[in-house]
């Protein structure tokens, strides 16, 4: 199954009683395994989690800490880019050249990379003096 199809399918499971905005994310671990995540909202709004965060949590729980590909899909007028926090979360586990596919359910697509989504990212090298 393609990464985009995995994201499309898991999107249907999003728990979004507040925004009604379903997002699906799929990431490919370095092993080749696909991990899926959907957004999970909460009545205490800031406690909701993004689809990307769910996919990353599934990958780490399965024992992988590197990812090689990302796909995100939503029913939006244009492809939805990951929020700022999710860009940092993706960057934790990905090289800058890892491809990211952003898609709408209508078929619009944007191809970008983890590095382009978060230029000048904070990384472990900035803590080299600690
Ligand atoms: N959301 C995601 O899950 N991923 C994104 O890339 C953008 C936003 C979710 C969070 C919230 O549940 C809903 O979309 C509206 O912000």
């Amino acid at each position: 199954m393609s990464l985009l199809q995995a994201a499309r399918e898991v999107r249907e499971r999003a728990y979004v009683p507040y925004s009604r905005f379903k997002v699906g994310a799929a990431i490919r671990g370095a092993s080749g395994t696909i991990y899926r995540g959907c957004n999970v909202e909460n009545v205490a709004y800031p406690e909701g989690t993004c689809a990307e965060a769910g996919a990353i949590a599934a990958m780490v729980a399965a024992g992988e800490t590197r990812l090689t590909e990302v796909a995100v899909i939503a029913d939006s007028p244009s492809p939805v880019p990951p929020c700022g926090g999710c860009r940092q979360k993706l960057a934790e586990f990905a090289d800058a050249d890892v491809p990211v596919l952003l898609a709408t359910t209508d078929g619009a697509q944007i191809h970008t990379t983890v590095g382009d989504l978060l230029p000048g990212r904070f990384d472990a090298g900035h803590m080299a003096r600690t």
Side-chain angles (χ1 to χ4, degrees):
M1 176 187 300
S2 77
L3 206 59
L4 183 57
Q5 183 59 18
R8 188 186 300 275
E9 288 182 12
V10 73
R11 175 181 166 275
E12 297 300 333
R13 299 194 181 136
Y15 176 77
V16 290
Y18 308 106
S19 74
R20 306 274 172 202
F21 186 66
K22 294 180 175 181
V23 183
I27 58 181
R28 193 180 305 282
S31 71
T33 301
I34 293 175
Y35 302 98
R36 298 156 172 81
C38 55
N39 48 338
V40 180
E41 298 184 345
N42 191 281
V43 64
Y45 294 176
E47 299 303 327
T49 51
C50 287
E52 296 89 331
I56 289 169
M59 179 187 76
V60 174
E64 291 206 60
T65 54
R66 297 307 291 172
L67 64 91
T68 61
E69 207 180 339
V70 182
V72 182
I73 189 167
D75 180 10
S76 45
S78 60
V80 169
C83 76
C86 285
R87 294 176 192 217
Q88 185 73 33
K89 289 182 178 75
L90 290 168
E92 179 75 16
F93 303 104
D95 293 336
D97 63 354
V98 162
V100 180
L101 172 58
L102 307 174
T104 70
T105 52
D106 291 342
Q109 296 190 356
I110 291 176
H111 293 266
T112 184
T113 65
V114 168
D116 283 349
L117 285 172
L118 192 61
R121 75 197 205 190
F122 173 66
D123 63 28
H126 294 104
M127 298 197 298
R129 293 183 180 172
T130 60

